[in-house]
Amino acid sequence: MRYPDDIDFFYFLENHGWSTCLIFVEGKVYEMGPTHIFENPVEVLLNSMIELLEGANETEFMWHDEPGEYKWSIKRNQEQQHKILVSITECTQVNTFEKPKLETLNFEVKLKLFSICILRQMEKIRDLMSEKSFKEHREGEFPYNTFKEYKLAHERTYS
């Protein structure tokens, strides 16, 4: 990546067991649409981030889709331990004039920066869940306890 800090992460907790995740990398936007039927994708992501924040060198997980799946692999850069190499299969670039196609997204980013992006999105969802109309069709979809653990792991690492 020419600009390793040119990244953002958006997570939309949609109605009835679906989510949309967008990752912005160097001007390109990639989309995933995980289902919550098999397991909660938020919880899976946060547990893997906790592992990394607590010193793990790598973590892997899967988000299910119908059909298909998104395989995430996150590995620490061995020469620069504060950076991670992220690989996600089956993503679709959505801001293109070409016909969208499934591809593997690969990027390197500072762990702190990626963690902040995820933290802020999860805080947004947590706060939206206090709204009755938002929470109505998302009951049980946000893993409050796992989020608390993640936030503590982030604060222990970067405060």
Side-chain angles (χ1 to χ4, degrees):
M1 265 178 72
R2 281 189 10 218
Y3 306 104
D5 295 336
D6 193 6
I7 186 167
D8 210 341
F9 177 91
F10 302 95
Y11 198 93
F12 306 96
L13 185 61
E14 297 190 33
N15 289 318
H16 308 295
W18 287 95
S19 290
T20 297
C21 178
L22 300 173
I23 298 181
F24 174 89
V25 179
E26 290 192 321
K28 296 179 180 179
V29 179
Y30 296 88
E31 179 180 37
M32 293 165 276
T35 179
H36 294 232
I37 290 176
F38 303 105
E39 57 193 343
N40 187 319
V42 173
E43 189 161 19
V44 171
L45 171 66
L46 294 180
N47 280 327
S48 288
M49 289 299 294
I50 291 167
E51 289 177 24
L52 290 168
L53 291 170
E54 292 178 345
N57 284 322
E58 64 183 87
T59 186
E60 293 183 345
F61 61 92
M62 220 177 331
W63 279 352
H64 297 278
D65 194 359
E66 293 180 32
E69 60 198 15
Y70 308 98
K71 293 179 184 174
W72 287 65
S73 172
I74 307 174
K75 297 179 180 179
R76 219 175 265 279
N77 179 324
Q78 292 305 304
E79 285 80 43
Q80 297 180 301
Q81 293 278 308
H82 67 290
K83 292 182 180 178
I84 53 174
L85 304 164
V86 180
S87 179
I88 310 166
T89 64
E90 304 295 308
C91 295
T92 305
Q93 183 185 346
V94 293
N95 66 333
T96 179
F97 293 109
E98 299 173 18
K99 183 179 178 188
K101 61 183 183 295
L102 297 178
E103 58 187 282
T104 298
L105 172 61
N106 293 296
F107 61 93
E108 182 176 64
V109 64
K110 293 177 185 172
L111 177 57
K112 181 178 183 179
L113 191 112
F114 197 56
S115 185
I116 289 169
C117 290
I118 292 170
L119 177 67
R120 297 301 177 238
Q121 287 298 298
M122 295 304 126
E123 287 175 335
K124 172 196 76 175
I125 294 169
R126 178 204 58 202
D127 294 349
L128 287 170
M129 290 294 281
S130 68
E131 278 295 313
K132 183 180 177 190
S133 61
F134 185 86
K135 186 177 182 176
E136 185 176 357
H137 299 291
R138 296 168 179 90
E139 191 72 43
E141 297 291 340
F142 187 75
Y144 292 96
N145 290 334
T146 305
F147 174 68
K148 286 179 192 172
E149 289 176 41
Y150 169 66
K151 190 171 179 180
L152 287 172
H154 177 86
E155 289 169 357
R156 276 192 305 269
T157 304
Y158 296 115
S159 293

